Amino acid sequence: MVILIKSLEEIDGIGVKTAELFHKLGIFDVYDLIYYYPKRYEILKRSNMSLVADQERVVVDGIVECQPTMVSLSFKLKKVLFRIFDGRGIYHVVAFNHSYLCKQLHSGMKVIVIGKYDQMRNTIVASEVRLGELCDKVQIEAVYGTTEGLNRKIIRRAIHFSLKSGLEVEDYIPDYLISQYHFPTKLWSISQIHFPVDSVSYRKARQRLKYEELFLYLMKINYFRMCLCQDTHAIQREFDELKLNSFIETLDFSLTADQEKALEEIKDDLISDRRMNRLLQGDVGSGKTIVAFLASYINFLSGYQTALMVPTEILANQHYDNACKLFKNTDMQIAILTSSISRKNKEKILNQIGNGEIDLVIGTQSLIQEKVEYANLGLIITDEQHRFGVNQRNELKNKGSFPDILSMSATPIPRTYALTIYGDMDVSNIRVKPAGRKEVITYCKCEDDMFEVLEMMKKEIDLGHQIYVIAPSIEKGNSDELNNVLYIKEKMQIAFGKICRVEAVHGKLGNEEKNIIMKQFEDGRISILISTTVIEVGVNVPNASMIVIFQSNLFGLSTLHQLRGRVGRGTIQSYCILISKDKCERLQMLEKSNDGFFISEYDFKCRGEGDLFGVRQSGEAFFKIADIRKDFDLLVRVKSDVDDFFNCHFGDVKYQKFWDCLAKLNGLN
């Protein structure tokens, strides 16, 4: 009899406490459960014990030779001992904290033991013991991410129960494409992902689920883009273009051709009858911020407020200082809103934002708090927008009545990545750097070259220049001492403390202390600043001529390129020193190129989309089963199919479930 279930508690063996453990994994119902795909697979094949090396993983099935006994090593640690005969030899088995085996097993039972083989003691240290025997056919078994108290056996059993309960799953591939590609059913495919019959069935199921995942995501992007194009609620601005041109003429530098083109594209969006959803991307130091500020000035001239959200207080303070200097001779009112602002000042700023006295507000996530209400928000700018989750950006977007959206990124996006993650956005690129900037010279050095590196640093300090020193962590961990900020600060104090001031800034410092140190570095009172990647984006100190990055092999190339962008901000020749234990071919790419677009493509091919920025970003729409790097050919095919589907079937009632689903996914009414 088929039993339809929905909640986890309806599954055999799952009570309230076990359900809470599933919740920790983000599993709240049976649909979350069946879409909780394995992180890897194990091959269950009988080991040939005569060929097994010491400490190698083995899979042995046989007969229990004696009743298991339990030995208590401590209050929390117990071990179960028994012997197993596999038809050729007898092996001792040790299973730690598997006390239930004493009741479950008895002499003569058939069991499968999985573990590591200790050759000297002829002992298998078991990670798992299960009843039964192996079939001659190779078994593929799923391995899931777990949490304390919830093992993969419980997860596997719950998924098996759910799939056998008669669940209905929605299929999001149109019938004609299912026929065209001879796709199996979705439920069969999900079942094969969790319980593969063989490698052929597994590959067929995986390809089908990848296709649907990419299809639905690209459908969502196309639908969102179409809705934006048809949006009749867009703000239609009118402003005095002569005032904009006069302001640009007062700048003490000329805009590059790329900056002028990007500004023109943004201006056209702002005065058009559809909402802007544009990504402004450019290499480090290419001058994106001035373009964004000019966009906020256009918005101000049109009578609307602008909100600029950045990921860190350091960057917020810098943008605020720069905006105040830039607009000091205009009527534009500017405020900063961060968590470190006093309660009294915050209330004053909130009132000014609410009654329209503030034209440009710059801040961190404080800008999306419930208390922040805007009088007439017309433009939202997010800087380094990949660092914000989708929900954070949407919360800010919902603060105004149909505001335009401008996102900035100093990490050039590879075309593969842009096609998926930013496929709903128009893109403006700034490739050319402002005149007078010299290319940063990069050197790859080994730790054995430290004396040479210190001499190079001394030369820059003697010239009156400043230096960044970067480490991956704050405190010493299990690895090399040169990984951490505090140890390196001690060594730099010994080397340079008598001739200049050395300070460190990192995430464990309070915001006020961090801001003070950064301000002193900007003012030239600190010569060597040691930091984690907290200074990766936005910090602008033209007198900083060198950045030294320890354990650089631990970072992605795009992250290193971002860090390199902290120097070379002025007219002085600047240097980037990449230090690693040994020569690294991947790092040598940075010696050869300063082109962030080229580097991001190379980094993408080597590391994949999740590591593009050095760490996997939370909040973005990364896929459960597809990989846009490995599956690029499939992605291109799916995009073509999605475009055809939109062109031929948009609005067709036959596919109403698609349009309803997409409207729900996009939060559109």
Side-chain angles (χ1 to χ4, degrees):
M1 182 177 71
V2 172
I3 303 171
L4 291 175
I5 59 172
K6 290 185 179 179
S7 70
L8 294 175
E9 288 88 342
E10 293 177 73
I11 298 172
D12 254 1
I14 296 183
V16 175
K17 288 186 177 179
T18 307
E20 287 174 356
L21 294 175
F22 275 101
H23 296 170
K24 289 183 178 180
L25 297 176
I27 301 170
F28 296 93
D29 59 33
V30 289
Y31 288 101
D32 291 335
L33 184 62
I34 65 171
Y35 290 121
Y36 189 67
Y37 294 140
K39 63 179 184 179
R40 60 184 175 85
Y41 295 86
E42 284 182 348
I43 305 298
L44 287 187
K45 183 181 179 182
R46 189 178 289 115
S47 300
N48 185 340
M49 296 302 289
S50 63
L51 301 177
V52 169
D54 186 44
Q55 299 303 314
E56 187 177 328
R57 177 182 177 270
V58 293
V59 180
V60 178
D61 64 337
I63 297 170
V64 177
E65 279 284 297
C66 60
Q67 182 64 31
T69 58
M70 185 169 66
V71 178
S72 293
L73 301 176
S74 68
F75 177 71
K76 290 186 177 181
L77 184 61
K78 297 176 176 64
K79 66 178 179 179
V80 174
L81 307 170
F82 64 94
R83 295 191 303 274
I84 182 176
F85 175 62
D86 72 344
R88 293 186 177 183
I90 294 176
Y91 304 96
H92 298 283
V93 178
V94 179
F96 291 96
N97 286 343
H98 284 57
S99 54
Y100 65 90
L101 291 175
C102 288
K103 293 181 180 179
Q104 189 180 64
L105 301 184
H106 56 77
S107 183
M109 289 185 74
K110 292 181 178 180
V111 293
I112 302 168
V113 177
I114 304 168
K116 285 188 177 179
Y117 182 52
D118 185 330
Q119 206 170 44
M120 183 178 293
R121 295 180 174 83
N122 190 36
T123 298
I124 301 170
V125 181
S127 58
E128 189 175 353
V129 178
R130 59 177 77 169
L131 301 180
E133 60 184 320
L134 293 167
C135 58
D136 292 331
K137 192 177 179 182
V138 174
Q139 292 174 245
I140 305 169
E141 193 164 274
V143 178
Y144 300 91
T146 60
T147 187
E148 189 175 352
L150 188 67
N151 60 42
R152 66 193 194 193
K153 186 177 179 181
I154 298 172
I155 296 172
R156 200 159 47 225
R157 191 172 62 221
I159 292 172
H160 186 267
F161 186 93
S162 301
L163 290 171
K164 296 297 182 185
S165 69
L167 281 179
E168 293 182 0
V169 292
E170 198 75 73
D171 196 327
Y172 290 107
I173 304 177
D175 294 341
Y176 72 91
L177 288 172
I178 290 175
S179 299
Q180 179 180 324
Y181 294 117
H182 305 290
F183 284 138
T185 66
K186 185 173 180 179
L187 193 59
W188 181 89
S189 300
I190 293 171
S191 180
Q192 288 302 306
I193 288 297
H194 293 291
F195 306 101
V197 173
D198 52 44
S199 59
V200 174
S201 298
Y202 166 75
R203 283 195 293 270
K204 188 184 293 185
R206 189 174 179 84
Q207 190 75 352
R208 186 250 179 269
L209 293 174
K210 281 182 179 182
Y211 184 97
E212 183 184 81
E213 198 168 58
L214 294 169
F215 186 88
L216 190 57
Y217 187 75
L218 291 174
M219 283 279 288
K220 177 183 174 182
I221 286 174
N222 276 23
Y223 189 75
F224 185 58
R225 177 185 281 276
M226 182 201 67
C227 290
L228 281 175
C229 290
Q230 294 181 351
D231 191 347
T232 57
H233 299 93
I235 297 169
Q236 295 185 36
R237 294 170 177 77
E238 290 183 4
F239 72 97
D240 188 342
E241 197 157 349
L242 289 175
K243 286 187 177 180
L244 172 66
N245 293 335
S246 297
F247 178 75
I248 292 173
E249 287 174 6
T250 65
L251 300 175
D252 54 6
F253 55 86
S254 298
L255 297 179
T256 65
D258 282 357
Q259 287 174 317
E260 288 179 347
K261 183 183 177 186
L263 182 61
E264 197 65 29
E265 289 169 343
I266 292 167
K267 185 174 68 176
D268 289 344
D269 284 350
L270 290 174
I271 62 177
S272 74
D273 58 0
R274 72 178 185 92
R275 290 173 71 189
M276 175 170 72
N277 189 36
R278 183 170 290 278
L279 173 67
L280 176 62
Q281 66 169 352
D283 218 337
V284 285
S286 61
K288 296 177 302 301
T289 305
I290 184 62
V291 174
F293 280 153
L294 291 173
S296 72
Y297 189 64
I298 294 171
N299 193 51
F300 160 70
L301 293 175
S302 308
Y304 292 94
Q305 293 172 300
T306 299
L308 169 55
M309 186 165 75
V310 299
T312 65
E313 282 210 19
I314 290 173
L315 191 51
N317 282 310
Q318 181 166 292
H319 277 333
Y320 175 70
D321 290 341
N322 289 339
C324 289
K325 292 172 188 173
L326 184 69
F327 297 116
K328 64 181 179 182
N329 295 322
T330 71
D331 296 328
M332 195 168 175
Q333 299 302 305
I334 304 163
I336 184 169
L337 192 63
T338 61
S339 58
S340 63
I341 291 176
S342 69
R343 191 172 181 178
K344 184 178 179 181
N345 283 339
K346 190 173 286 185
E347 286 179 4
K348 179 183 176 184
I349 293 168
L350 289 174
N351 288 331
Q352 291 175 324
I353 294 171
N355 62 31
E357 290 179 48
I358 300 297
D359 303 302
L360 169 62
V361 58
I362 299 167
T364 53
Q365 293 179 37
S366 300
L367 298 183
I368 60 177
Q369 291 177 350
E370 279 186 28
K371 292 181 180 179
V372 186
E373 294 183 1
Y374 297 85
N376 56 347
L377 183 62
L379 175 62
I380 295 163
I381 303 171
T382 56
D383 194 2
E384 292 304 320
Q385 71 107 34
H386 63 268
R387 290 168 176 255
F388 296 106
V390 171
N391 292 337
Q392 292 170 321
R393 295 199 297 268
N394 283 340
E395 283 180 46
L396 183 55
K397 182 177 71 177
N398 294 332
K399 287 288 184 181
S401 297
F402 311 102
D404 290 292
I405 303 161
L406 177 64
S407 302
M408 292 196 291
S409 178
T411 306
I413 310 299
R415 66 190 186 98
T416 315
Y417 196 80
L419 180 64
T420 54
I421 304 303
Y422 302 123
D424 58 321
M425 306 177 85
D426 296 309
V427 179
S428 294
N429 289 321
I430 302 179
R431 289 178 175 270
V432 179
K433 292 184 181 180
R437 299 243 177 127
K438 297 178 180 178
E439 294 283 8
V440 178
I441 298 172
T442 302
Y443 297 108
C444 293
K445 299 290 182 182
C446 296
E447 289 179 4
D448 293 342
D449 302 323
M450 269 309 300
F451 185 75
E452 183 185 345
V453 173
L454 293 173
E455 283 188 322
M456 294 170 75
M457 292 174 69
K458 172 71 163 51
K459 183 179 177 182
E460 292 305 306
I461 291 167
D462 289 343
L463 290 170
H465 300 158
Q466 294 162 276
I467 300 171
Y468 294 104
V469 177
I470 307 298
S473 61
I474 299 170
E475 297 171 324
K476 185 178 178 181
N478 297 324
S479 53
D480 199 296
E481 289 175 323
L482 291 175
N483 263 353
N484 71 93
V485 166
L486 301 181
Y487 177 82
I488 292 173
K489 182 185 177 185
E490 287 178 21
K491 295 302 177 185
M492 291 294 166
Q493 286 278 22
I494 294 170
F496 299 109
K498 291 183 179 179
I499 63 171
C500 68
R501 186 175 166 194
V502 178
E503 288 292 349
V505 62
H506 49 75
K508 288 194 174 182
L509 294 178
N511 285 326
E512 187 176 350
E513 192 175 357
K514 234 187 304 190
N515 290 334
I516 288 171
I517 292 173
M518 290 306 302
K519 181 65 177 170
Q520 290 176 340
F521 186 68
E522 288 176 34
D523 293 343
R525 285 181 280 169
I526 295 170
S527 296
I528 299 176
L529 181 68
I530 304 157
S531 174
T532 56
T533 56
V534 71
I535 58 91
E536 180 187 336
V537 294
V539 179
N540 184 23
V541 181
N543 191 49
S545 64
M546 179 176 285
I547 183 164
V548 180
I549 306 171
F550 284 91
Q551 299 292 296
S552 53
N553 53 294
L554 299 179
F555 298 102
L557 295 185
S558 292
T559 298
L560 292 172
H561 182 63
Q562 282 277 295
L563 289 166
R564 176 168 64 179
R566 295 312 100 219
V567 296
R569 314 289 287 192
T571 56
I572 56 179
Q573 181 61 61
S574 297
Y575 305 90
C576 173
I577 315 297
L578 304 175
I579 301 174
S580 57
K581 283 186 179 297
D582 304 298
K583 285 287 184 183
C584 178
E585 185 180 341
R586 185 174 64 90
L587 297 180
Q588 290 171 357
M589 176 61 63
L590 292 169
E591 285 185 315
K592 300 171 186 174
S593 177
N594 274 280
D595 184 342
F597 288 86
F598 173 74
I599 290 165
S600 69
E601 287 284 356
Y602 181 86
D603 204 21
F604 182 84
K605 289 171 185 173
C606 292
R607 291 164 62 89
E609 79 283 2
D611 289 327
L612 187 63
F613 307 111
V615 293
R616 183 167 290 279
Q617 302 302 324
S618 60
E620 295 294 1
F622 291 101
F623 306 105
K624 284 180 178 288
I625 199 163
D627 182 323
I628 61 172
R629 176 175 57 95
K630 295 176 182 175
D631 301 320
F632 183 58
D633 290 342
L634 179 62
L635 180 73
V636 172
R637 190 200 315 163
V638 174
K639 188 175 189 307
S640 175
D641 290 343
V642 167
D643 291 343
D644 289 343
F645 182 72
F646 256 84
N647 292 335
C648 300
H649 300 287
F650 179 72
D652 190 336
V653 292
K654 180 181 176 183
Y655 298 106
Q656 189 61 44
K657 69 176 181 181
F658 285 99
W659 317 126
D660 291 344
C661 172
L662 293 172
K664 184 178 178 182
L665 282 171
N666 282 289
L668 298 167
N669 298 320

